[in-house]
Amino acid sequence: MFRRTKRAAVISVIAATAVILSACAGSGPDPVETATGVPDASATLTVGLVLEPTNLDIRHTSGAAIEQVLIDNVYEGLLTRTQDNTIEPRLASDYEVSPDGLTYTFTLNEGLTFHSGTALTSADVVASFEAVRADETMQGFADFAGVASVTAPDASTVVITLTQPNQNFLFALTGPAGLVFQSGDTTDMQTAENGTGPFTLQKWSKGSSITFARYDEYWGEPAGVAEVVFEYIPDFTAGVNAALDGSLDVLTAVDPNLAPELESSGEFLLTRGRTTDKATLAFNNAKAPLDDIRVREALRLAVDHEGLIEAVGAGTTQYGPIPELDPGYEDLSDVAPYDPERAKELLAEAGHETLDLTLTIPSFYGTTVPQVLVSDFSKVGVTLEVDPVEFPTWLEDVYTNHDYDLSFVLHVEPRDFGNFADPTYYFGYDNPEVQRLYAEALAEIDEDASAELLAEAARLVSEDHAADWLYTGETITAVRPTVSGFPQDSINSRINLAGVTVVTE
């Protein structure tokens, strides 16, 4: 039986994950500890972020913005993941997986409580997971489709039985599907919370900021700061200005072109972190003329990816749907090398020597990527109209109604290849062979064999030119020297703040 256990004090491991650097394999570089002196347990940490959640109901609301701040800080699951996406226990002290990959047995830590003061038991886990299984409006419903039963043999044990093996199941438990909520709780989760994490929600000033306070009755090691204030600043220049005027201790998602201003100020240290952020140029595969593979291939060949990354100022090339930190990654640069002459030939073959298309893009992404695309496409006879919209409008028009030609968005969630195996997703991509390979990859118990199947499926997706992957994002974070332990990698999808400390000047 496969077993994972926390070998020492569970909490010290959790706190340490906040400063682990990511790597493809093996251990990463040592974390950067910036502050010297004694941490101030009464300190307030102010963090600048870009995208604010539309509400706080993480059970029914999708998107990285809500997961980024709530998971691990306010809500917890049986499992969590480190910055390099390694799975480890959280509310569970250990877990076992049966040799056939069908039965998962979790043992809970002692002393778990919700912020209401109520003790957490296995009954709460069962109720939380049964709710996900039964309600298709809940985040993680699809992840629990293969769950046959969730039982609690005793107050500290949970047993989950699957109908068939699922290579992604443990990873799914590190996301919204695996979060544990108090059974029978009547909290209005749109604006309030009742989690188990090291922080509670103190205040939400919509359109401005969210404030967390340390939960003094936390079951593990107390958070290193008394308060965290997330300031939402969608304009990148305004974010830098706020950092320089002393309003922020940390600024995330620093625009690479503005980074030198922060660095030269001497007030911040800049870290560069790896991500699974896929800068995706989405094609509406279900809509003409993007339903023609020749048109999609031409658009990919027209993009000078190296030049685009140089303009953006950070990132690495990615020519397929799986980034380097995820299972199944393969260098697919041979599929769509920069070749504008061939792009023009393909467009002519498809009957589109000239072509008008619209790019719908959330306005907070700025103008750099659209400007490069407009220039590159114009060289092959494609006129690109750019339509910057507010993010709620993008969610409604593009994500929900599939009303678009091209779109650009950072897909930051790790291990989300399944989007290309879902013909109802906004890409409109439908390939039964990809769907079969993905299903086989999930059902494969051996991790390496599963990754090989994913790589095969990913190559098909790239060869079908289902989208273009402009680059894998690199996150730049500006941190004051008084702050230690702030995460550096994958922070666009999750920021675990339990181990962050501040030295008061």
Side-chain angles (χ1 to χ4, degrees), residues 426-444:
Y426 83 94
F427 298 147
Y429 174 67
D430 188 359
N431 185 324
E433 179 66 7
V434 169
Q435 294 156 27
R436 180 188 67 80
L437 287 168
Y438 181 64
E440 290 184 6
L442 292 183
E444 174 56 60

Side-chain angles (χ1 to χ4, degrees), residues 223-402:
V225 294
E227 186 178 71
V228 176
V229 180
F230 297 105
E231 296 283 355
Y232 288 98
I233 311 172
D235 181 82
F236 293 113
T237 300
V240 170
N241 291 338
L244 293 175
D245 72 14
S247 300
L248 304 175
D249 298 307
V250 178
L251 177 63
T252 66
V254 175
D255 186 323
N257 295 306
L258 300 175
E261 186 175 355
L262 287 166
E263 195 163 32
S264 64
S265 72
E267 298 180 29
F268 290 90
L269 299 175
L270 267 59
T271 65
R272 289 178 176 260
R274 299 177 66 189
T275 74
T276 56
D277 299 0
K278 299 158 289 291
T280 306
L281 179 62
F283 302 151
N284 192 340
N285 287 251
K287 177 184 178 182
L290 283 309
D291 58 350
D292 189 326
I293 189 174
R294 295 170 297 184
V295 173
R296 300 195 302 269
E297 181 179 4
L299 294 178
R300 295 189 69 191
L301 297 177
V303 177
D304 179 0
H305 294 82
E306 295 283 358
L308 187 146
I309 291 172
E310 184 177 350
V312 170
T316 57
T317 55
Q318 180 180 327
Y319 292 92
I322 298 179
E324 195 170 355
L325 286 178
D326 280 355
Y329 169 77
E330 178 188 1
D331 181 358
L332 296 175
S333 56
D334 61 301
V335 176
Y338 180 49
D339 191 345
E341 292 305 313
R342 177 57 181 156
K344 287 189 282 188
E345 292 174 2
L346 285 167
L347 288 171
E349 291 175 15
H352 300 290
E353 291 188 359
T354 60
L355 185 61
D356 295 330
L357 294 171
T358 298
L359 173 72
T360 306
I361 179 174
S363 55
F364 60 80
Y365 282 129
T367 61
T368 301
V369 169
Q371 286 174 347
V372 172
L373 294 177
V374 167
S375 176
D376 283 353
F377 286 165
S378 68
K379 296 172 184 175
V380 299
V382 175
T383 300
L384 187 66
E385 178 184 347
V386 179
D387 182 19
V389 298
E390 296 300 313
F391 191 62
T393 301
W394 183 91
L395 286 172
E396 179 70 18
D397 293 348
V398 178
Y399 186 80
T400 301
N401 295 330
H402 306 180

